[in-house]
Amino acid sequence: DAKTTQPTSMDCAEGRAANLPCNHSTISGNEYVYWYRQIHSQGPQYIIHGLKNNETNEMASLIITEDRKSSTLILPHATLRDTAVYYCIVSPDSGGYQKVTFGTGTKLQVIP
Amino acid sequence: NAGVTQTPKFRILKIGQSMTLQCTQDMNHNYMYWYRQDPGMGLKLIYYSVGAGITDKGEVPNGYNVSRSTTEDFPLRLELAAPSQTSVYFCASRWTSGGAPDTQYFGPGTRLTVL
């Protein structure tokens, strides 16, 4: 499985866009990029995933570089409730055991 | 749907005691997982199951046992509790049909302290 690298922590002003980077330079062709977040020791929550194309849903946008070696999660208008640890994960598409490795993630602090 | 539920929410054990952490999902998911999360760390996979009657080890299975007799339930058993098992335990489930990519749904966690 591909390994990911994320900054340990980031700050973002409330109302501004939060851009969380992730490096996955060893990603394989069949591996998706997933983002989860964990708010204050609750169970992780799925945010978004993508393979090649940029993706957007009601929570966030995911920008994947053309070579797929890195991606950025964008929270367009960060609120205080977005303060959490954000995990970037790469995993093969479904059909088998999805061995996802949650590293230490990026701790995002949204500042009033 | 209640999603993934876990009981108890908190528990304190003495060294050498045993207990079972309960996990139930009502989404008819085939895959289920147990993770532990130590303070300030990421999640580590303990055991997983791809369906009723089928389980396998994850990264850190020592000191734990699991069973999967039904689709809904995936209990985690600690036989001889040790201080190193003090952690927050998360159960998760996922549906996969071998088609489109899918995601895991997590329970609220069980906070276990072994003294």
Side-chain angles (χ1 to χ4, degrees):
Chain A
D1 294 341
K3 187 176 179 180
T4 62
T5 304
Q6 298 177 254
T8 303
S9 63
M10 294 180 63
D11 291 338
C12 178
E14 188 178 18
R16 305 295 293 269
N19 296 282
L20 290 86
C22 180
N23 182 288
H24 32 78
S25 58
T26 60
I27 192 170
S28 301
N30 69 338
E31 289 184 312
Y32 284 75
V33 180
Y34 291 81
W35 283 84
Y36 286 77
R37 72 180 182 183
Q38 188 174 25
I39 297 173
H40 191 52
S41 298
Q42 297 176 18
Q45 174 192 25
Y46 165 79
I47 302 173
I48 198 168
H49 72 273
L51 182 63
K52 296 180 182 178
N53 300 322
N54 298 337
E55 302 290 341
T56 296
N57 63 20
E58 65 278 3
M59 290 181 67
S61 295
L62 174 61
I63 308 298
I64 303 174
T65 58
E66 192 169 344
D67 62 7
R68 302 208 324 122
K69 292 185 177 182
S70 65
S71 61
T72 301
L73 178 74
I74 301 173
L75 308 178
H77 304 286
T79 70
L80 298 178
R81 288 177 292 181
D82 292 322
T83 292
V85 177
Y86 288 77
Y87 298 99
C88 170
I89 296 158
V90 292
S91 182
D93 56 8
S94 63
Y97 163 40
Q98 187 186 60
K99 181 183 176 183
V100 293
T101 300
F102 287 79
T104 52
T106 296
K107 185 172 184 178
L108 175 69
Q109 182 72 47
V110 180
I111 302 169
Chain B
N1 284 353
V4 180
T5 57
Q6 293 183 237
T7 57
K9 292 184 179 179
F10 303 93
R11 183 71 185 269
I12 298 175
L13 284 181
K14 295 182 179 179
I15 295 172
Q17 287 186 319
S18 61
M19 77 165 293
T20 299
L21 283 67
Q22 301 292 345
C23 175
T24 300
Q25 54 93 7
D26 63 358
M27 298 173 283
N28 202 32
H29 285 173
N30 46 0
Y31 279 61
M32 294 188 75
Y33 307 80
W34 274 106
Y35 295 89
R36 60 175 288 173
Q37 185 174 34
D38 298 334
M41 305 296 287
L43 282 76
K44 294 184 178 179
L45 183 65
I46 306 171
Y47 272 95
Y48 70 100
S49 169
V50 303
I54 305 171
T55 64
D56 206 348
K57 298 176 181 179
E59 301 174 72
V60 289
N62 292 344
Y64 307 95
N65 281 299
V66 294
S67 59
R68 183 98 181 269
S69 57
T70 66
T71 299
E72 295 79 17
D73 300 307
F74 190 41
L76 177 72
R77 178 81 177 166
L78 282 72
E79 289 295 348
L80 292 170
S84 60
Q85 293 178 306
T86 294
S87 191
V88 180
Y89 292 83
F90 291 102
C91 179
S93 72
R94 159 185 171 245
W95 167 258
T96 177
S97 61
D102 40 54
T103 64
Q104 296 190 29
Y105 295 82
F106 285 81
T110 293
R111 284 148 184 78
L112 176 66
T113 301
V114 181
L115 300 173

